Amino acid sequence: MVYGAKIIAQALQDLGVQVIFGLPGLPVIDIAQESMNLGINFISFRNEQAAVLAASSYGYLTGKPGVCICVGGPGVLNTFPGIPHAAANCWPLLLLGGSSETHNANKGAFQEMDALPIFSPHAKLALRPPYPEMVPSFVRDAYRAAMFGRPGPAFVDLPANIIMGHFDVERHKLSPLLEAPKAVAPPEKIRSAIEALKTAKAPLVVVGKGAAYGRAEKQIQALIERTGLPFLPTPMGKGVVPDASPHNISAARSTAMKTADVVLLLGARLNWILTFGLPPKWKSGVKIIQVDISADELGKNGHDPSLSIVGDLALVVEQLVNEIGNWRWQGQSSEYYRTLQAAKSKNEEKAAKKASAGKIPMAYEKAFGVIQETLNSLSTPNNGDIVYVSEGAKAMDISRSIFTMEHPRIRLDAGTYATMGVGPAYAIAAYAAYNYPHAEGSAGTRGRKKIVAIEGDSAFGFSAMEVETMGRYRMDVLIFVINNSGLYRGDADSKEKWQQLQDMTVAGSPARPKGLSATSLGYETDYQKIAEVAGGIGLVARTPEELKEATIKGFQAKVPVVVNVIVDTQTDLEMDFSWLDMAPPTDKKKKEQKL
């Protein structure tokens, strides 16, 4: 007789699973324990949402499905945000959810809920094994679905009677799934793409996070170095080609998009991150050569798909490099290139001016400049020995242009689904992927890595208790909470308003936050103290000197560190998000989009 939880754990072991994320409780707690007995690492979180977000990013970093377990009912519902998050980012995720006993169905059983109808529309596959002997094959099918084709989430519902029962089931060891099948492109498609690039007056290569996931950095670097084509990385595509490359024109992003006439799109989709590839942000009539693993993605938003290519990104780019020979773009003296360089210089000068401002509280750019300069002095950036996690509105958006990446898969942010609360979860996942003994995620960038999280004060609040998880597992993560006392921005007089509320409370009057705006947070909240209660170190930095000292101490610490960085409230700035286009298109804009 074999314990049901052990059958499940053995299936995960057979598939090569090294780490499981989750929040244990009946009945899935025994899946965690049986997995640990088999040598699989289990990381227990404080909230299911953080656990599933960690599993999804672990899948991105390793190229194999991240595995998360949770209890049924409310536990499963708490993991639900991770399903569309993984689907939108195209990250492989296997979620194993417990559920009430099948023999108590429709009786009002403990945490009874039929999860399959909820998850089926959003997952690549959602299954419930009816018999214990079918558990291994169902787990394998879900794991394969998450990994093969366009990666995404899969869900297996596991009833309590299957998990906790004892069964006469013969062990049939599963074969591990080491990699997904890969396809090359027809030679004529390669030749057509190259001809379009050679005849372009304003060519542009866009590199997305799919290129990092597909381990295509060597091939794409060879393409850029051989041809000299200008390239633009998406936020998480940074590092596939080193940011230090002279062909990187990310500082002229808007100008490049408006002027390029032929775009080679590698590992990215024409969604909101790339403003759909449509005017007015893009040139009308631009030709798109999209390389994607899924044919369904080609030709979206009205673009002509005739030049686009279906296939594995690394293999297709290798085909392009081989076919293109010694051809090199000769447009360095063109008006297009001069325009790019002028915009790049202008934007870099503007950023440098903000970074050099000496006012207190510090501007975001000044704080990030101090952090980056200090971390670079303590590490070896060219070796990729720091992984950067960032989330929040201003904290994420501003930091992405300041922190340079010379390697792939060392930057994680809110991603395509723009999910908040990912920071601590991602940091834990990165620690496991890079620093655990198996170090699956370290392919191409070997060696232990320091995990650094740049957190907006609002974003940090979503999952701040996961600092205790870091402390419990002795993860020396360094967290900077960029504290402007608000969402997007704080109040100019938030200190006075906050003090008035405190005075009213002390006096026994009801504290009604009449003066606080909808975006106000507690004034200069002591976020650093959460590290102290978790066995870590909490620090506060108000000046560049204090921030430098805190960064050094945090980098060298062997426990979690939270640095509370007090920055300018940015009250005078317009509240907007540059990538969010909420206004419906005008008649002129509609005509441009049809062209």
Side-chain angles (χ1 to χ4, degrees), residues 124-159:
K124 292 186 67 178
L125 189 65
L127 302 169
R128 178 189 294 125
Y131 308 109
E133 56 266 27
M134 300 181 72
V135 166
S137 63
F138 272 44
V139 170
R140 186 182 189 276
D141 287 347
Y143 189 93
R144 180 181 57 82
M147 183 178 176
F148 283 21
R150 181 180 292 287
F155 172 69
V156 180
D157 180 275
L158 297 167

Side-chain angles (χ1 to χ4, degrees), residues 485 491-516 520-524:
S485 302
D491 289 324
D493 54 351
S494 57
K495 181 177 181 179
E496 290 74 16
K497 292 176 180 178
W498 192 254
Q499 187 59 53
Q500 288 174 7
L501 289 173
Q502 306 310 306
D503 293 343
M504 291 171 65
T505 302
V506 171
S509 301
R512 297 175 182 173
K514 295 180 180 179
L516 297 178
S520 295
L521 295 174
Y523 179 72
E524 295 187 2

Side-chain angles (χ1 to χ4, degrees), residues 435-514:
N435 295 333
Y436 274 14
H438 57 278
E440 291 182 31
S442 62
T445 50
R446 300 289 179 185
R448 192 181 191 283
K449 299 188 187 302
K450 185 73 176 184
I451 314 301
V452 175
I454 309 293
E455 295 281 305
D457 49 353
S458 173
F460 183 62
F462 280 73
S463 52
M465 271 305 296
E466 300 307 335
V467 173
E468 190 277 329
T469 303
M470 300 172 192
R472 192 175 352 120
Y473 291 100
R474 311 308 290 172
M475 297 179 176
D476 56 331
V477 176
L478 172 54
I479 300 173
F480 295 93
V481 180
I482 311 303
N483 188 351
N484 71 335
S485 302
L487 290 76
Y488 299 100
R489 65 186 186 191
D491 289 324
D493 54 351
S494 57
K495 181 177 181 179
E496 290 74 16
K497 292 176 180 178
W498 192 254
Q499 187 59 53
Q500 288 174 7
L501 289 173
Q502 306 310 306
D503 293 343
M504 291 171 65
T505 302
V506 171
S509 301
R512 297 175 182 173
K514 295 180 180 179

